[in-house]
């Protein structure tokens, strides 16, 4: 633990509440650190379009989160990707221990850990997660193109995501437990007025079943008790069930220290203060009536403002100078993938990189110390031509980047591919398809990790990665998935440190045969040495552990 440095404020969580707190704390010139275990932006990044945020009547959820993140960074706030393992909140100095082994000290803390999607609990829900049951339309929606989709829920998210899913699905049916939508009529109308959406009220799922994919579902009317069975339509391999039934708070870390209500949400006063002096909470983790982006942002502003007052009073009491210096714009945090691509890439119409993106990339490439060869293994296909065009344009952005082309090897099933080479040697960082959309992030991080300083990793974890034997990792992705780049980057970080590890990003849209062989209906989908598919977001620690376990099973 750094005994010298004590932050004014540590914010745990980088959703709208945490980012808003960071903006207000940074503007107040507090020495502020935000710790985030997963994706910056939190649940807002799972929202296709946000319709009700002031001054942004219709904005992509990930783009909104990225704008918040940039604003916090411009006020000098540091964001670190690290999960919190333990907190000691009593006393003048709060101690935060992370999963990477770091310990941080702070005079005040804002808890903004948010909440995760709640499961319904019907039979088969866990068994078919990733094989028909899903929780994120922007991540998995395109995998259900041309199929029947059912949305479970009757609130804001259910209505809005049902409308969004019609761009992929053959038809969307909303299953509402009550006799009406619980969200306002204008929001409900997004589903009700869409000709590709139908609604069944007083209806719940009793059970889902199938072989490898989801193929059958039993519904029950909770008023009459009448049951009906839905079977996958002829010609379709599966159908989708997207669940939007609320959230559960991420508060396990704080049990026994902070006062919680019977559902596990944190209790605070009108200043967002908890029962411990100097500790505040904000956002969906709070016990409150309305959980929306705007209320989370409001909570964050209030929590940070009161934390600033608390820290100032503490410093005056202790005779510590209250340093007030102009906030300096923070350098781009290269380890933070969501800063590079604001939103899913549109259909390619010309230039691959916008002027704003070029400026961001040049700042990162300015830290490269080695040359990287962008090797394209292609053929005469349209996809190969797109990949070559993409790589040619990328290479023009920095003199450290060169392009080489080669024919697709006879034994390579996933082509075309982009591979990163350093000193003529394959680094193990591979991309099957064109890494656009959110996957630009993982590509840029890959280049940074093999030819620049690289992302910081705990020494103990580095040694574990270097000790791995030959390991082949494949990560099935969707270019619209905001969770996927972090998983790809983590796997490829392993490859960058160990020449015996390869990590291949696979755009599943272009490789349907792999989806069918491995029964993949959700991303990210990680496969280690051809083993069972690991669905969902995974930390570097979790992926290293999975690779170690795969080694033991050989």
């Amino acid at each position: 633990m750094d005994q010298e440095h004590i932050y004014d404020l540590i914010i745990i969580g980088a959703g709208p509440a945490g980012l808003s707190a960071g903006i207000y704390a940074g503007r107040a010139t507090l020495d502020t650190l935000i710790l985030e275990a997963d994706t910056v932006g939190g649940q807002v990044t799972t929202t296709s379009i946000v319709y009700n945020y002031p001054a942004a009547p219709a904005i992509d959820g990930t783009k909104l989160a990225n704008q918040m993140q940039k604003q916090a960074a411009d006020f000098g706030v540091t964001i670190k990707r690290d999960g919190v393992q333990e907190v000691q909140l009593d006393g003048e100095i709060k101690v935060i221990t992370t999963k990477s082994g770091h310990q941080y000290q702070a005079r005040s803390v804002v808890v903004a850990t948010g909440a995760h999607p709640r499961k319904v609990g019907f039979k088969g829900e866990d068994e078919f997660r990733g094989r028909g049951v899903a929780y994120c339309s922007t991540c998995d929606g395109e995998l259900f193109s041309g199929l029947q989709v059912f949305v479970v829920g009757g609130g804001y998210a259910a209505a809005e995501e049902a409308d969004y899913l019609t761009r992929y699905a053959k038809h969307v049916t909303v299953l509402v437990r009550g006799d009406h939508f619980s969200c306002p009529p204008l929001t409900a109308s997004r589903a009700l007025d869409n000709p590709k959406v139908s609604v069944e009220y007083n209806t719940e799922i009793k059970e889902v079943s199938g072989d490898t994919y989801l193929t059958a579902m039993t519904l029950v009317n909770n008023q009459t008790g009448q049951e009906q069975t839905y079977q996958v339509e002829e010609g379709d391999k599966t159908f989708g069930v997207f669940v939007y039934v609320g959230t559960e708070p991420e508060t396990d870390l704080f049990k026994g220290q902070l006062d919680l209500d019977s559902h596990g949400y944190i209790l605070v006063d009108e200043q967002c203060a908890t029962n411990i002096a100097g500790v505040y909470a904000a956002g969906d983790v709070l016990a409150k009536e309305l959980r929306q982006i705007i209320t989370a942002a409001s909570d964050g502003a209030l929590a940070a403002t009161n934390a600033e007052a608390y820290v100032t009073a503490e410093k005056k009491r202790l005779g510590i100078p209250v340093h007030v210096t102009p906030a300096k714009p923070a350098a781009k945090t290269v380890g933070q993938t969501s800063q590079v691509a604001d939103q899913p890439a549109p259909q390619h119409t010309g230039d691959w990189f916008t002027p704003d993106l070029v400026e961001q990339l040049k700042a990162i490439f300015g830290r490269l110390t080695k040359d990287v060869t962008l090797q394209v293994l292609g053929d005469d296909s349209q996809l190969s031509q797109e990949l070559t065009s993409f790589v040619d344009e990328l290479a023009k952005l920095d003199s450290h980047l060169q392009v080489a082309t080669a024919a697709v090897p006879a034994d390579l099933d996933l082509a075309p591919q982009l591979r990163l080479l350093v000193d003529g040697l394959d680094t193990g960082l591979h991309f099957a398809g064109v890494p656009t959309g959110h996957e630009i992030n993982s590509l840029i991080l890959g280049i940074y990790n093999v030819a620049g300083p690289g992302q910081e990793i705990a020494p103990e974890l580095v040694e574990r990665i270097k000790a791995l034997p030959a390991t082949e990792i494949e990560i099935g992705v969707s270019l619209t998935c905001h969770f996927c780049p972090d998983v790809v980057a983590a796997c490829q970080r392993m490859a960058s440190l160990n020449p015996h590890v390869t990590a291949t990003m696979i755009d599943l849209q272009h490789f349907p045969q792999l989806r069918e062989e491995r029964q993949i209906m959700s991303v990210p989908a990680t496969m280690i040495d051809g083993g069972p598919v690991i669905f969902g977001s995974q930390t570097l620690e979790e992926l290293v552990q999975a690779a170690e376990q795969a080694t033991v099973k050989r």
Side-chain angles (χ1 to χ4, degrees):
M1 177 166 60
D2 186 347
Q3 298 291 343
E4 300 299 323
H5 191 82
I6 301 175
Y7 285 96
D8 291 329
L9 173 63
I10 290 179
I11 300 167
I12 306 176
L19 293 173
S20 176
I23 291 168
Y24 274 74
R27 191 168 185 266
T29 70
L30 291 185
D31 182 11
T32 303
L33 170 67
I34 299 179
L35 295 172
E36 171 55 55
D38 206 331
T39 301
V40 170
Q43 286 198 83
V44 66
T45 60
T46 69
T47 304
S48 52
I49 301 294
V50 177
Y51 290 101
N52 55 354
Y53 198 79
I59 185 170
D60 174 83
T62 300
K63 183 174 183 179
L64 178 62
N66 288 344
Q67 290 177 180
M68 290 182 178
Q69 180 184 355
K70 182 180 184 302
Q71 195 172 358
D74 287 345
F75 280 122
V77 174
T78 300
I79 301 176
K80 291 189 176 182
R81 284 296 305 279
D82 205 350
V84 175
Q85 183 168 296
E86 183 181 353
V87 294
Q88 300 172 33
L89 302 177
D90 285 328
E92 293 180 2
I93 303 302
K94 324 299 181 185
V95 180
I96 310 296
T97 304
T98 66
K99 292 180 179 178
S100 68
H102 288 89
Q103 283 192 327
Y104 300 97
Q105 302 179 95
R107 300 188 185 281
S108 64
V109 169
V110 170
V111 178
T113 47
H116 59 267
R118 177 182 286 120
K119 296 179 181 178
V120 180
F122 52 80
K123 185 177 180 181
E125 182 174 7
D126 290 334
E127 180 184 354
F128 286 94
R129 180 168 187 172
R131 306 194 191 281
V133 176
Y135 299 84
C136 176
S137 63
T138 55
C139 298
D140 302 332
E142 73 170 359
L143 301 179
F144 292 86
S145 296
L147 299 175
Q148 291 284 352
V149 165
F150 293 82
V151 169
V152 182
Y156 284 92
E160 292 175 347
E161 301 310 318
D163 176 55
Y164 173 80
L165 284 164
T166 59
R167 68 181 64 189
Y168 303 114
K170 184 190 310 183
H171 186 81
V172 176
T173 303
V174 185
L175 307 176
V176 182
R177 184 176 60 178
D179 60 4
H180 65 282
F181 277 95
S182 59
C183 55
L186 184 60
T187 302
S189 68
R190 298 193 181 281
L192 295 172
D193 295 346
N194 189 320
K196 290 183 67 176
V197 175
S198 58
V199 182
E200 294 191 23
Y201 296 105
N202 299 315
T203 302
E204 300 179 45
I205 297 178
K206 180 179 180 180
E207 179 182 2
V208 296
S209 60
D211 185 7
T212 53
Y213 288 124
L214 186 64
T215 58
M217 174 174 61
T218 301
L219 303 176
V220 59
N221 185 296
N222 56 32
Q223 297 298 304
T224 66
Q226 182 177 359
E227 295 185 2
Q228 58 175 310
T229 299
Y230 174 82
Q231 295 284 345
V232 65
E233 294 189 354
E234 186 176 353
D236 292 344
K237 284 183 167 47
T238 188
F239 62 92
V241 174
F242 283 76
V243 176
Y244 296 99
V245 293
T247 59
E248 294 179 354
E250 297 280 3
T251 53
D252 286 348
L253 275 173
F254 311 104
K255 290 178 179 177
Q257 296 190 61
L258 299 182
D259 288 344
L260 310 176
D261 71 4
S262 59
H263 299 289
Y265 291 94
I266 298 175
L267 297 169
V268 296
D269 63 15
E270 60 273 13
Q271 275 79 45
C272 284
T274 70
N275 56 297
I276 297 179
V279 180
Y280 304 82
D284 285 2
V285 77
L286 296 186
K288 60 179 185 178
E289 290 296 321
L290 184 63
R291 294 185 176 87
Q292 291 284 285
I293 301 171
I294 185 64
T295 63
S298 173
D299 294 339
L302 187 58
T305 299
N306 285 295
E308 188 272 334
Y310 171 84
V311 170
T312 299
E314 280 293 286
K315 286 184 172 181
K316 288 181 178 178
R317 179 180 69 81
L318 296 169
I320 300 172
V322 180
H323 298 289
V324 180
T325 55
K328 297 179 180 180
K332 291 282 188 281
T333 305
V334 177
Q336 199 55 62
T337 60
S338 61
Q339 285 186 319
V340 179
D342 278 348
Q343 55 187 330
Q347 188 72 26
H348 181 53
T349 56
D351 292 341
W352 291 97
F353 303 98
T354 65
D356 287 345
L357 183 54
V358 168
E359 290 304 310
Q360 293 183 51
L361 296 182
K362 285 184 176 179
I364 297 172
F365 292 154
R367 302 185 66 187
L368 300 183
T369 58
K370 300 178 182 178
D371 291 343
V372 179
T373 298
L374 307 174
Q375 184 188 50
V376 177
L377 303 178
D379 49 31
D380 294 330
S381 68
Q382 176 65 32
L383 187 60
S384 286
Q385 294 174 26
E386 289 187 7
L387 179 58
T388 301
S389 169
F390 172 82
V391 169
D392 285 344
E393 188 172 324
L394 176 63
K396 293 177 182 178
L397 301 183
D398 191 88
S399 60
H400 287 95
L401 306 178
Q402 289 91 38
V403 178
T405 58
V408 177
D411 60 347
L412 183 64
D413 294 328
L414 301 173
Q417 269 194 30
L418 166 63
R419 294 185 172 182
L420 305 188
L421 279 58
V422 174
D423 296 330
L425 300 177
D426 186 358
T427 63
L429 279 69
H430 303 166
F431 301 83
V434 186
T436 56
H438 290 306
E439 288 306 324
I440 288 179
N441 299 301
S442 54
L443 171 60
I444 301 308
L445 278 177
I447 294 171
Y448 177 77
N449 284 328
V450 298
Q455 295 165 280
E456 182 182 352
I457 301 176
E460 181 270 337
L461 195 55
V462 171
E463 292 306 312
R464 289 170 59 190
I465 292 171
K466 290 182 176 180
L468 291 172
T471 304
E472 181 181 2
I473 307 175
E474 297 174 310
I475 314 97
V477 307
S478 163
L479 300 183
T480 60
C481 172
H482 50 278
F483 292 116
C484 291
D486 289 339
V487 177
V488 173
C491 293
Q492 294 190 336
R493 186 62 174 126
M494 294 164 64
S496 73
L497 293 168
N498 185 332
H500 304 297
V501 176
T502 62
T504 306
M505 178 220 83
I506 305 168
D507 181 359
L508 292 174
Q509 181 183 10
H510 296 296
F511 301 98
Q513 73 279 8
L514 178 65
R515 283 172 49 191
E516 185 171 340
E517 290 171 4
R518 301 308 306 273
Q519 295 91 46
I520 297 172
M521 295 300 292
S522 183
V523 291
T526 307
M527 296 154 280
I528 300 176
D529 288 333
V533 180
I534 303 170
F535 289 108
S537 181
Q538 304 287 317
T539 65
L540 179 59
E541 165 69 33
E542 290 169 333
L543 290 163
V544 171
Q545 184 177 2
E548 291 170 336
Q549 291 173 346
T551 299
V552 172
K553 293 178 181 178
R554 291 178 195 170

